[in-house]
């Protein structure tokens, strides 16, 4: 079955960096969009970034544009989220998702989700 396994979360000081990984398995993801979402304390789940597995085109939430970078390694079936200049407000559980959404920003349109990885940014 399809599995998405996130890793790379942790505790970091404000201004630091982390790279999240999402290892995907169980099917071919050609034609899929891979997305990163997050849910902060007391907040709704929100879109962070998305990438076309086939074409590599990307989309970012305005709040992380220029700060986060999404990428994929087709050979390793892995999607990454490089997070720089982290702020306390980036504290959240980060989720990887895969699907064929008409909009990469709509979580309801994704078919598969990982279990999440905690990112905590201290001030």
């Amino acid at each position: 079955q399809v599995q998405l396994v996130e890793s790379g979360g942790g505790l970091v000081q404000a201004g630091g960096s982390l790279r999240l990984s999402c290892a995907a398995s169980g099917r071919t993801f050609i034609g899929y969009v891979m997305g990163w979402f997050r849910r902060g304390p007391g907040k709704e789940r929100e879109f962070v970034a998305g990438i076309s597995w086939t074409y590599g085109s990307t989309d970012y939430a305005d709040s992380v544009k220029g700060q986060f970078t999404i990428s994929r390694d087709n050979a390793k079936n892995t999607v990454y989220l490089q997070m720089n200049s982290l702020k306390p407000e980036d504290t959240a559980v980060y989720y990887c998702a895969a699907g064929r959404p008409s909009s990469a920003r709509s979580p309801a349109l994704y078919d598969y989700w990982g279990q999440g990885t905690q990112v905590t940014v201290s001030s």
Side-chain angles (χ1 to χ4, degrees), residues 11-16 38-41 43 46 67-68 84-94 118-123:
L11 174 64
V12 64
Q13 287 190 329
R38 66 185 181 186
R39 176 175 282 148
K43 297 181 181 179
E46 64 173 347
Q67 180 190 0
F68 292 2
N84 298 327
S85 303
L86 284 162
K87 311 165 191 173
E89 51 263 42
D90 294 317
T91 294
V93 178
Y94 284 73
Q118 176 71 48
V119 171
T120 302
V121 184
S122 64
S123 57

Side-chain angles (χ1 to χ4, degrees), residues 32 50-59 70-72 74:
Y32 272 63
I51 187 167
S52 164
W53 193 273
T54 305
Y55 302 107
S57 52
T58 58
D59 187 23
I70 189 171
S71 62
R72 90 269 193 243
N74 288 5

